[in-house]
Every structure is written in structure tokens, then in C-alpha cells.
């Protein structure tokens, strides 16, 4: 027995666990118990609401303190339960209601694995989820709901591919999800899909970022989704800075800040802190940008998010070097190289070594 946080968890020796499992199925109650176990685990995964874009809620990083604590509790203590439950559910999904449960749980678990640096396992589960969804709704199923579900799953796969460094594949999946989101008629999933396309394309400096960001800006403004509107304007600001249009970039950055302030967006969110840090640096406010990136890195390290840590550390090290602070930049470069190497991102390691 393990005592933790005022609760007791019991573990079986493997031989006893297998014996108990065999006896359970011999009793004829095995399927019913596994169905209950599946319902319990999927409810906890879905409750995290990682990919929600409703109202003022945001993509992962906007979780409440309770949800964030639950996120890491599930990964630290329930991962074997999650694996067993999803394996059971994939084999038994029958009808669109079952597929909805499986898709939401599988997509949320995939994002959790990406955040914790377990991309290979994430690829297994999101591929299995998409395979279960198939190429169309089951007989009698609502085609609009099926498109919404597949768009959610593709959103999770896009997130996974970004974490693996496969940005071109990620953008292709994000655009496929965006097409389904449009056809589903669901405005919330459309906001999320536009955000993902704009985010990935901006990261790649791809011109498709502009069109997606403009559409997201308009839609999020009409829907009252302040975080998405602010993000869209910040992407447009970044694009303007990259074009060398500093005046336009500063004006858009100021607009994004106003939207964030008016919407009372939590500026402790990792993605928002990172974006603001980069925008401040582009605006020429190098010292302020460094401070903001350090705040983002502190939150990343508290939240144990290795793929975010690598990216934030890389940009922080570059900024410190530009600011003429090599003694501060060197340890950050070393840490970034270590983080990228752990994630298997060889091109990123090579880039950091060149800068180092």
C-alpha cells in the first residue's frame, strides 16, 4: 500500500493481479467491470477539457489549478489504468456515442503525453482513435457530430506532430481538421482549428498564417473569445515584424495587448507569456522580452513541460546573446541542447550548438 496526499493506493504483485483478472473473467463479470473501469477513466480524462475553446477558456495552459493538478495526478498515478481502459474502449466502440467518448478521451490523453514528452505513445493512441472513427459516421450517426469529433482528433494529432518537430505534417493535419470544422458548423471547433493553423503556420513563417489569423481575428471577435482574438492579432503582429513593417507590427502588438487586458486574459499562461516575450523582442524591448521569457520558463519548469521548456530556453538564450549577456546565455543554451536531445530533435540540437 502507498500513502500519498491523504489517500491510500493498493498495488498487486503481477502474478496475483493476473490470477485475479483470470478469476474475474471466469466469473462472467469481467466485461461489466472493464466497462465500468473504462467509464471511470474516460470521465476523468474528458473532465480535463484540454482542447476546449468555449467562452474564455483556452487551449492547454488555460487549465484551472484543480484541472492542472488532476492532469499530473493522472499521468503520475493512473497511466496504466488509462492505457488499459483505452485499449478496451477501442475494441468495443459501437455507435457515435461510444466514438465520442473514445475520441475526447483519446485526444485529451494524446495532448497530455505531448506535454510530458511522451510523443511516441501519443502517436499510437491518436492513430488508434482516428482509425476507430474511420472515414465516415457509423450507420445512423450524425455526420456533423462525426466531423466535429474527427476535427478534434486531428487537432490533437497536429499538437503531437508539432511536439515531434514535424511541422509540415502538423500543418497538413491542422488544415484537414479545419476543413472538417467548417463542415461541422460548430463555431467553437472552428476557432480552435483556425488557431492551430495560424499557430503552426506562424511558427513555420508560412504565408498561410496571415489568412488563418485574419479569419480567426474576425470570428473570435464576433464570438467574444478574447484569448483567440488576442492570439490572432499577435500572430499578425509577428508577421508584420518579419516583413520589416515595424510600425504596423507595433500597432498590432498594442491592439493584442489591449484585447488581452480588456478580456482579463490570465497573463500567466505559458503560450501567452511566450508570445508576448517574442513580440516585445521584435518591438525592440529586449530587456522586457527577456523578463517575460524568464517568467514563461519558470511556469514551464513548474508544470514539467519539456517540449515547451526547450523552445522557451532556445529563444531566451538567443535574446540574452543579442543583449550582450553571454555569461547568462551559455547555461541556457546548455539546458536547451539537453532538452532538445531528450526529445530526439537533432536539427534543433544542431542549431543550438551552432549558436552556442
Amino acid at each position: 500500500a502507498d500513502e500519498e496526499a491523504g489517500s491510500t493506493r493498493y498495488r498487486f504483485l503481477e502474478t496475483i493481479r493476473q490470477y485475479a483478472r483470470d478469476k474475474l473473467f471466469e466469473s462472467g463479470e469481467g466485461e461489466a467491470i472493464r466497462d465500468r473501469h473504462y467509464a471511470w477513466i474516460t470521465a476523468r480524462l474528458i473532465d480535463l477539457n484540454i482542447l476546449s475553446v468555449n467562452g474564455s477558456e483556452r487551449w492547454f495552459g488555460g487549465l484551472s489549478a484543480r484541472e492542472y493538478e488532476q492532469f499530473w495526478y493522472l499521468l503520475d498515478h493512473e497511466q496504466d489504468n488509462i492505457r488499459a481502459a483505452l485499449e478496451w474502449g477501442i475494441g468495443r466502440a459501437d455507435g457515435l456515442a461510444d466514438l465520442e467518448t473514445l475520441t475526447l478521451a483519446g485526444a485529451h490523453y494524446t495532448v497530455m503525453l505531448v506535454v510530458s514528452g511522451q510523443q511516441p505513445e501519443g502517436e499510437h493512441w491518436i492513430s488508434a482513435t482516428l482509425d476507430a472513427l474511420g472515414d465516415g459516421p457509423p450507420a445512423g450517426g450524425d455526420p456533423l457530430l462525426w466531423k466535429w469529433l474527427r476535427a478534434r482528433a486531428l487537432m490533437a494529432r497536429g499538437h503531437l506532430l508539432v511536439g515531434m518537430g514535424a511541422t509540415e505534417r502538423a500543418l497538413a493535419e491542422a488544415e484537414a481538421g479545419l476543413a472538417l470544422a467548417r463542415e461541422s458548423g460548430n463555431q467553437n471547433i472552428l476557432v480552435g482549428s483556425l488557431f492551430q493553423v495560424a499557430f503552426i503556420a506562424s511558427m513555420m513563417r508560412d504565408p498561410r498564417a496571415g489568412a488563418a489569423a485574419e479569419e480567426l481575428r474576425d470570428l473570435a471577435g464576433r464570438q467574444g473569445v478574447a484569448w483567440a482574438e488576442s492570439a490572432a492579432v499577435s500572430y499578425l503582429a509577428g508577421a508584420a515584424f518579419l516583413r520589416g513593417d515595424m510600425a504596423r507590427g507595433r500597432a498590432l502588438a498594442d491592439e493584442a495587448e489591449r484585447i488581452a487586458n480588456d478580456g482579463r486574459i490570465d497573463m500567466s499562461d505559458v503560450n501567452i507569456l511566450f508570445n508576448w516575450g517574442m513580440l516585445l523582442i521584435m518591438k525592440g524591448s529586449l530587456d522586457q522580452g527577456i523578463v517575460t521569457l524568464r517568467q514563461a520558463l519558470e511556469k514551464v519548469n513548474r508544470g514539467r513541460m519539456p517540449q515547451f521548456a526547450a523552445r522557451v530556453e532556445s529563444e531566451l538564450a538567443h535574446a540574452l546573446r543579442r543583449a550582450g549577456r553571454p555569461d547568462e546565455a551559455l547555461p541556457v543554451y546548455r539546458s536547451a541542447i539537453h532538452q532538445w536531445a531528450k526529445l530526439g530533435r537533432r536539427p534543433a540540437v544542431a542549431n543550438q550548438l551552432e549558436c552556442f
Side-chain angles (χ1 to χ4, degrees), residues 195 198-199 202 213 216-217 220 225-237 256 259-260 272 275-276 279:
F195 168 75
F199 167 71
S202 293
L216 177 61
R217 177 189 192 181
V225 187
W227 71 265
E229 185 183 5
S230 176
V233 177
S234 71
Y235 293 146
L236 292 170
I259 294 167
I272 293 176
N275 285 339
W276 279 121
L279 281 175

Side-chain angles (χ1 to χ4, degrees), residues 50 109 116 130-132 144 160 165 177 234 241 258 349 351 356:
I50 294 171
Y109 184 47
S116 59
L130 284 162
D131 287 345
L144 296 182
L160 168 76
S234 71
F241 284 128
R258 177 189 59 74
V349 171
N351 176 263
F356 184 78

Side-chain angles (χ1 to χ4, degrees), residues 167-183:
T167 49
E168 289 187 7
R169 286 177 59 203
L171 185 55
E173 295 284 27
E175 290 192 309
L178 175 58
L180 286 168
R182 293 189 197 283
E183 293 173 12

Side-chain angles (χ1 to χ4, degrees), residues 134-194:
D135 297 324
D142 181 353
L144 296 182
L145 175 57
W146 178 86
K147 289 175 181 179
W148 177 79
L149 291 172
R150 192 162 180 87
R152 295 271 289 210
L154 288 172
M155 191 184 291
R157 178 177 264 175
H159 194 68
L160 168 76
L161 291 168
V162 169
M164 295 170 65
T167 49
E168 289 187 7
R169 286 177 59 203
L171 185 55
E173 295 284 27
E175 290 192 309
L178 175 58
L180 286 168
R182 293 189 197 283
E183 293 173 12
S184 76
N186 185 298
Q187 297 297 291
N188 287 328
I189 195 68
L190 183 55
V191 167
S193 295
L194 283 168

Side-chain angles (χ1 to χ4, degrees), residues 5 10 39 59 74 76 80-81 89 125 139 150 156 195 230 244 261 310 318 327:
Y10 294 91
W59 188 278
L74 287 172
D76 289 340
D80 286 340
N81 275 320
W125 290 115
R150 192 162 180 87
F195 168 75
S230 176
N261 289 335
H318 296 333
D327 291 343

Side-chain angles (χ1 to χ4, degrees), residues 94-96 99 133 136-142 146:
D94 181 24
L96 204 52
L99 287 172
L133 276 169
D142 181 353
W146 178 86

